[in-house]
């Protein structure tokens, strides 16, 4: 069963069969829709590129933190739906800040079919003391290490995943 998504489509006036899924930032607390969603979509359109902006789950009264894995599931479903639309031959993902983090983990998921990824000032790690604390708290909670037996102080998992996305197949 498909997830219900808030996925807004911005068609290019003369599309070139390239599309981009845009993931705005907001610390996994809100969606910076105008600055990091609508504006990039309009810029892409001016370059003949179709755009989709995903308003993924953020922490709020109806979705208390931690919200993982909801944003990841939604981003994967958005890619699946865009690919299924038949509008694009090439599909990329462009994420800003927390959306950059989501773009990185989406682009490196083995099941995803993306041709490129753009990470704009991404939250690149969830390690305590390194990350944007609000993003960490909202996505995985403050007690992530203890609850999951994961040592984020000594692990570079997020950084390695993101670096792989950038350099995959020699397309740095």
């Amino acid at each position: 069963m498909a997830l219900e998504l808030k996925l807004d489509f911005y068609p290019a006036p003369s599309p070139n069969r390239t599309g981009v899924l845009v993931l705005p930032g907001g610390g996994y607390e809100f969606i910076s829709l105008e600055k990091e969603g609508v504006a990039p979509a309009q810029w892409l359109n001016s370059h003949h590129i179709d755009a989709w902006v995903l308003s993924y789950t953020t922490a709020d009264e109806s979705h208390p933190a931690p919200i993982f894995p909801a944003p990841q599931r939604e981003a994967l479903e958005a890619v699946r739906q865009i690919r299924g639309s038949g509008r694009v031959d090439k599909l990329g993902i462009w994420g800003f800040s927390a959306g950059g983090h989501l773009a990185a983990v989406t682009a490196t998921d083995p099941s995803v079919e993306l041709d490129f990824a753009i990470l704009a000032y991404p939250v690149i790690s969830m390690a305590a003391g390194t990350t944007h604390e609000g993003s960490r708290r909202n996505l995985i909670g403050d007690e992530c290490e203890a609850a999951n037996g994961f040592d984020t102080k000594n692990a570079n998992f997020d950084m390695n995943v993101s670096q792989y996305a950038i350099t995959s197949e020699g397309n740095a």
Side-chain angles (χ1 to χ4, degrees):
M1 178 177 192
L3 293 172
E4 286 190 38
L5 302 178
K6 174 74 169 91
L7 184 62
D8 296 320
F9 178 45
Y10 294 81
S14 54
N16 63 10
R17 301 210 41 89
T18 298
V20 175
L21 172 60
V22 180
L23 304 175
Y28 288 108
E29 185 173 4
F30 66 94
I31 298 293
S32 181
L33 189 60
E34 291 303 315
K35 180 179 176 187
E36 297 173 350
V38 175
Q42 291 171 338
W43 183 87
L44 289 163
N45 288 168
S46 74
H47 290 83
H48 310 286
I49 299 171
D50 285 336
W52 289 261
V53 178
L54 179 62
S55 294
Y56 51 87
T57 297
T58 56
D60 60 20
E61 290 179 10
S62 62
H63 301 97
I67 57 171
F68 178 83
Q72 177 70 20
R73 288 183 182 153
E74 293 161 356
L76 292 170
E77 177 62 17
V79 170
R80 190 192 69 71
Q81 287 183 20
I82 295 166
R83 279 282 184 205
S85 74
R87 281 192 65 94
V88 299
D89 295 325
K90 290 184 182 177
L91 179 61
I93 193 166
W94 186 3
F96 296 82
S97 192
H101 177 266
L102 183 54
V105 295
T106 301
T108 56
D109 186 294
S111 71
V112 80
E113 293 182 58
L114 289 169
D115 298 295
F116 59 92
I118 304 165
L119 309 179
Y121 45 91
V123 173
I124 211 65
S125 172
M126 286 291 152
T130 301
T131 190
H132 175 258
E133 292 299 328
S135 294
R136 180 178 192 274
R137 181 177 48 258
N138 290 324
L139 183 63
I140 61 175
D142 289 325
E143 304 302 320
C144 179
E145 293 93 356
N148 296 303
F150 186 71
D151 179 8
T152 58
K153 291 184 180 102
N154 296 311
N156 288 323
F157 175 76
D158 291 288
M159 181 65 81
N160 292 340
V161 166
S162 299
Q163 299 237 338
Y164 174 80
I166 294 167
T167 62
S168 178
E169 300 177 21
N171 294 324

